[in-house]
Amino acid sequence: MATKFVPSLFRSAVRSACRAPRPQFRAPVAAVARASSTLQVHRNTPDNNPDIPFKFSKQNEAVVEEIIKRYPPQYKKAAVMPLLDLGQRQHGFTSISVMNEVARILEMPPMRVYEVATFYTMYSRTPVGKFYVKACTTTPCQLGGCGSDAIVKTIREYLGGIDQGETTPDGLFTFLEVECLGACVNAPVVNINDDYYEDLTPETMRQLLEALKASVSGTGPGAVIDYSKIPKPGPYKTDRKTCENTSGPTNLTSEPWGAETTRPDL
């Protein structure tokens, strides 16, 4: 009887211990602080509030019409993403006024537009520099070439030690570490605005930043970029044109087989 009773008491004690209240705490995070509220919540600021008017330019109005034509009339709300992108390119970032104008044009509740703009990270909802520098720090870039750590260190040193998400005082550069940019074979990789710069080293990264800075004339919002002075994007290795093996092509080195090869009678 005792031998059957004791295991029962032991199991009851274990269950009671498991159900005992435990202290609630959050472990400290070593990553760069970036509160989730910044991705979801809007706070009015002098340069981003609904009272600042926004309208698409005459040139972009024509683009808006062309984009909307791609969708059936009952589905024109599907144009929300390209219109937000167009508004960001014109205004410099996706402000609350840009989102409200897109909602008006597409005849959809503003909240539906906000949901899209806060979900996709390609929409910058706060002002950014003229050159948005995004360095990939995922595993392939960490291991490829000189490693992304060396690239990030070079960028931060050249930009005066700014942290993630910050913009230089002259308003030219905004820096951010990002996940995979999809150009792993050419690691390490940096995305600047619409262009990819690959196979970088600390030296070529610094040269790139210097060239970008030299392409700008003037200061402040009126600064003008001379795009002819911006370095050509792509690999920075002289022996690589795209993403081929650095030791040379290893496949598709001859004419691929087809019907004309296997059927000489055709």
Side-chain angles (χ1 to χ4, degrees), residues 211-266:
L212 292 174
K213 188 173 184 178
S215 70
V216 179
S217 58
T219 58
V224 179
I225 300 175
D226 183 352
Y227 290 95
S228 65
K229 295 182 180 179
I230 293 181
K232 180 181 177 181
Y236 262 55
K237 285 186 176 180
T238 56
D239 57 346
R240 175 182 276 171
K241 295 180 180 179
T242 56
C243 57
E244 71 274 11
N245 193 308
T246 53
S247 61
T250 58
N251 57 6
L252 299 177
T253 55
S254 60
E255 189 70 21
W257 279 37
E260 67 280 359
T261 303
T262 56
R263 292 288 303 277
D265 56 314
L266 294 179

Side-chain angles (χ1 to χ4, degrees), residues 127-222:
V128 297
K130 290 187 177 295
F131 301 109
Y132 197 174
V133 182
K134 288 168 275 190
C136 177
T137 56
T138 317
T139 304
C141 279
Q142 288 276 5
L143 301 178
C146 64
S148 57
D149 284 349
I151 299 301
V152 170
K153 180 181 179 182
T154 301
I155 294 172
R156 292 193 61 196
E157 286 178 351
Y158 185 85
L159 301 183
I162 64 174
D163 289 323
Q164 281 207 65
E166 293 184 348
T167 302
T168 53
D170 56 11
L172 289 183
F173 296 94
T174 298
F175 170 61
L176 190 67
E177 293 181 30
V178 297
E179 292 302 313
C180 185
L181 290 172
C184 308
V185 71
N186 291 4
V189 179
V190 166
N191 167 233
I192 302 178
N193 295 350
D194 291 329
D195 296 324
Y196 277 37
Y197 296 90
E198 307 152 356
D199 292 320
L200 293 166
T201 64
E203 292 74 22
T204 55
M205 186 70 243
R206 180 173 289 275
Q207 292 170 9
L208 172 59
L209 293 173
E210 290 174 348
L212 292 174
K213 188 173 184 178
S215 70
V216 179
S217 58
T219 58

